[in-house]
């Protein structure tokens, strides 16, 4: 999510301006986390124009359109891959809808319509190995069964002023959720989720880490914590402060918080994170960039290996590695969405990026 959001905007048909992947629909300025294609156009292949593809050069990777999202006000934010089926899920920041793309298809379908269960925004997404879809909205975390599309649980922040942004899942099933406004990371254990489902499907989120003392000061109305990722072995959790560009390591065993030593660059405007076996990818929304980092064995240091900057990324909010390639959400937040005025280039899409 970007860093500041101007004034109040209607959620169903947003027309105001703002800028982000941690967005603000309220009067306070925020910094946010994160045209339909007709059947005939889809049959013709990927969307045309510079946003659809870019040549491979020293400074760019090969960027192409992988999937198309139906609707002219989607402004997508999050993406997740189902580890069992390979299906993809994409969220709409401006409507709260969630879309799905099944293997072998290029056009997404609506999985959860706009406004489902009262949700008017949707950001970070994850699918666990039990087939549950975790959906973050500004004011809560919802968990669905992907088979029945049934809401299993709703977990709400314990105090006002929260702005939930992104979610990551640990190998033991624990979920970690960033709060961009309160500088918190919430933790939902399998036991917490079970108790919520047994208690009528509702519960309060529990704070796992308070990073307020660790983060440098940032302007009033700006957001800090955004993307989050868990080491595949569960040894540590990483989260980015998009305002300062710093990366933080959270220790599940000790509860400790420490800054990761970055070499070669920073993570300013860092949004979604993807972590695989010592390699960290980050989407930088406002700079139209993706970076790749090599992590030290203990996750306490990271060295920049590659940076791709290209307007064809169209304000990337997050990314996922699926079937050997990087898929990036093209949010277009800066074109009539939460980050600025204008008109989006239809259709909204998810890009495949090779060479990063």
């Amino acid at each position: 999510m970007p860093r500041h959001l101007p004034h109040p905007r209607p959620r169903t048909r947003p027309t105001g301006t703002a800028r982000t992947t941690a967005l603000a629909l309220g009067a306070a300025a925020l910094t946010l986390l994160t045209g339909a294609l007709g059947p005939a156009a889809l049959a013709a292949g990927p969307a045309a124009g510079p946003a659809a593809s870019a040549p491979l050069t020293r400074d760019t990777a090969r960027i192409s359109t992988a999937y198309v999202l139906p609707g002219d006000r989607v402004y997508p934010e999050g993406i997740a891959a189902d580890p069992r089926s390979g299906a993809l899920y994409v969220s709409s920041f401006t409507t709260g809808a969630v879309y799905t793309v099944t293997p072998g298809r290029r056009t997404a379908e609506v999985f959860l319509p706009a406004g489902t269960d009262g949700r008017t925004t949707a950001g970070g997404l994850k699918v666990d190995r039990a087939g549950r879809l975790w959906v973050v909205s500004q004011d809560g975390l919802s968990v669905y069964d992907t088979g029945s599309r049934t809401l299993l649980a709703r977990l709400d922040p314990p105090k006002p002023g929260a702005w939930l942004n992104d979610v990551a899942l640990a190998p033991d099933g624990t979920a970690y959720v960033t709060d961009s406004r309160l500088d918190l990371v919430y933790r939902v254990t399998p036991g917490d989720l079970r108790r919520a489902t047994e208690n009528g499907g509702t519960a309060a989120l529990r704070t796992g880490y308070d990073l307020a003392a660790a983060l440098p000061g940032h302007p009033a109305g700006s957001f800090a914590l955004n993307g989050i990722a868990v080491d595949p072995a569960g040894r540590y959790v990483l989260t980015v402060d998009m305002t300062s560009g710093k990366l933080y390591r959270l220790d599940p065993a000790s509860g400790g918080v420490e800054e990761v030593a970055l070499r070669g660059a920073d993570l300013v405007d860092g949004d979604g994170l993807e972590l695989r076996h010592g390699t960290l990818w980050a989407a930088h929304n406002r700079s139209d960039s993706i970076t790749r980092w090599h992590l030290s064995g203990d996750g306490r240091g990271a060295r920049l290996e590659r940076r791709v900057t290209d307007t064809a990324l169209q304000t990337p909010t997050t990314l996922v590695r699926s079937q050997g390639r990087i898929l990036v959400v093209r949010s277009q937040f800066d074109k009539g969405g939460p980050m600025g005025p204008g008109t989006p280039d239809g259709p909204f899409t998810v890009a495949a990026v090779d060479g990063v």
Side-chain angles (χ1 to χ4, degrees):
M1 297 186 171
R3 282 174 283 187
H4 304 280
L5 291 186
H7 42 263
R9 312 170 58 239
R11 307 259 180 119
T12 54
R13 297 182 61 84
T15 56
T17 62
R19 154 149 213 166
T20 167
T21 285
L23 169 94
L25 296 176
L30 297 176
T31 301
L32 183 69
L33 282 192
T34 228
L37 182 66
L42 178 61
S53 62
L56 183 66
T57 70
R58 186 183 67 177
D59 298 319
T60 65
R62 192 172 305 280
I63 302 170
S64 60
T65 296
Y67 304 106
V68 174
L69 304 170
D72 59 1
R73 302 295 298 176
V74 177
Y75 293 105
E77 205 284 337
I79 188 170
D82 188 328
R84 307 166 310 154
S85 67
L88 296 171
Y89 296 86
V90 182
S91 62
S92 167
F93 181 80
T94 50
T95 71
V98 177
Y99 301 84
T100 186
V101 184
T102 54
R105 300 180 63 91
R106 287 194 61 248
T107 304
E109 299 176 346
V110 174
F111 181 77
L112 298 172
T116 298
D117 299 309
R119 184 176 52 255
T120 55
T121 66
L125 301 175
K126 283 294 183 293
V127 183
D128 64 25
R129 297 191 178 278
R132 293 176 297 224
L133 174 65
W134 300 67
V135 182
V136 176
S137 59
Q138 176 247 321
D139 57 357
L141 173 66
S142 302
V143 184
Y144 290 88
D145 179 274
T146 55
S148 64
R149 309 189 188 195
T150 301
L151 177 65
L152 302 174
R154 161 83 183 200
L155 298 102
D156 298 312
K159 56 184 179 179
W163 187 279
L164 307 191
N165 195 321
D166 205 356
V167 59
L169 298 175
D172 67 355
T174 297
Y176 296 90
V177 182
T178 52
D179 187 326
S180 297
R181 185 181 277 165
L182 300 183
D183 301 334
L184 302 174
V185 172
Y186 303 106
R187 178 168 50 201
V188 183
T189 66
D192 293 333
L193 180 60
R194 183 180 64 254
R195 285 187 288 273
T197 58
E198 294 172 350
N199 187 38
T202 61
L205 288 165
R206 293 191 300 120
T207 298
Y209 302 89
D210 187 337
L211 280 77
L215 301 182
H218 47 82
S222 66
F223 281 11
L225 298 181
N226 195 333
I228 191 165
V230 182
D231 166 49
R235 297 171 299 163
Y236 56 84
V237 180
L238 298 177
T239 186
V240 62
D241 172 359
M242 71 174 128
T243 299
S244 70
K246 296 180 181 295
L247 185 68
Y248 292 89
R249 182 187 188 276
L250 315 180
D251 190 320
S254 68
V257 175
E258 59 185 295
E259 183 180 340
V260 175
L262 300 179
R263 293 174 51 199
D266 58 33
L267 285 162
V268 168
D269 293 328
D271 205 321
L273 302 178
E274 176 77 350
L275 176 57
R276 295 290 184 95
H277 308 296
T279 298
L280 177 71
W281 291 268
H284 300 249
N285 48 48
R286 298 197 302 172
S287 60
D288 284 325
S289 299
I290 297 171
T291 53
R292 186 185 74 219
W293 303 76
H294 174 74
L295 291 175
S296 62
D298 58 8
R300 290 183 166 88
R303 172 175 49 84
L304 180 69
E305 293 185 322
R306 182 88 162 96
R307 184 183 186 98
V308 171
T309 300
D310 200 308
T311 55
L313 293 171
Q314 297 182 302
T315 313
T317 48
T318 195
L319 69 175
V320 67
R321 186 168 178 82
S322 178
Q323 299 180 344
R325 60 180 180 168
I326 294 291
L327 300 174
V328 180
V329 174
R330 288 163 156 168
S331 77
Q332 299 198 63
F333 279 180
D334 59 336
K335 296 179 180 179
M339 288 171 59
T343 303
D345 297 327
F348 286 97
T349 61
V350 172
V353 182
D354 298 314
V356 63

